[in-house]
Amino acid sequence: MNLTLSTREVGARTVVAVGGEIDVYTAPKLRDTITELVAGGTYHLVIDMQDVEFLDSTGLGVLVGGLKKVRAHDGSLELVCNADRLLKIFKITGLAKVFVIHETADAALA
């Protein structure tokens, strides 16, 4: 399974829509996208994971790393995720307390 990524600007935030699987093979693509956005001066990100089918520990590491990158610039990284199987991963790992997680992109951008 491939990873699809697209970005769009919405006001002061950049939405990164992610689809497919975020695993050891595809996670570097997401990491590189986040790194390029931060290097380009984008510090407020919304990672839209509504089309993500699978997430492993490598993917979680990329999200945590992205959060650290934007926080170094007083930025934010929020998630859009409404799939129970993914939300369970965030809860089990304790990351549900670290990330702001929204059910919809509209809620994240409100």
Side-chain angles (χ1 to χ4, degrees):
M1 173 62 74
N2 285 333
L3 180 71
T4 60
L5 295 170
S6 64
T7 60
R8 62 187 166 96
E9 303 289 323
V10 181
R13 296 187 183 152
T14 298
V15 177
V16 180
V18 186
E21 298 182 359
I22 308 173
D23 60 21
V24 68
Y25 301 106
T26 61
K29 187 175 175 184
L30 177 58
R31 182 188 63 231
D32 293 348
T33 298
I34 293 171
T35 300
E36 289 169 14
L37 287 168
V38 172
T42 301
Y43 306 130
H44 296 282
L45 301 175
V46 174
I47 309 296
D48 186 343
M49 300 176 56
Q50 292 186 89
D51 293 328
V52 171
E53 297 169 17
F54 177 80
L55 175 68
D56 74 0
S57 61
T58 310
L60 289 174
V62 166
L63 294 173
V64 171
L67 182 62
K68 288 179 180 178
K69 284 182 176 107
V70 297
R71 281 189 174 167
H73 300 277
D74 294 322
S76 62
L77 187 151
E78 299 182 4
L79 306 177
V80 176
C81 180
N82 55 18
D84 288 337
R85 66 187 180 287
L86 298 180
L87 291 169
K88 187 175 181 179
I89 294 169
F90 287 105
K91 289 176 185 164
I92 289 170
T93 58
L95 292 174
K97 295 177 182 171
V98 174
F99 288 102
V100 176
I101 302 175
H102 303 276
E103 282 198 22
T104 65
D106 289 343
L109 297 168

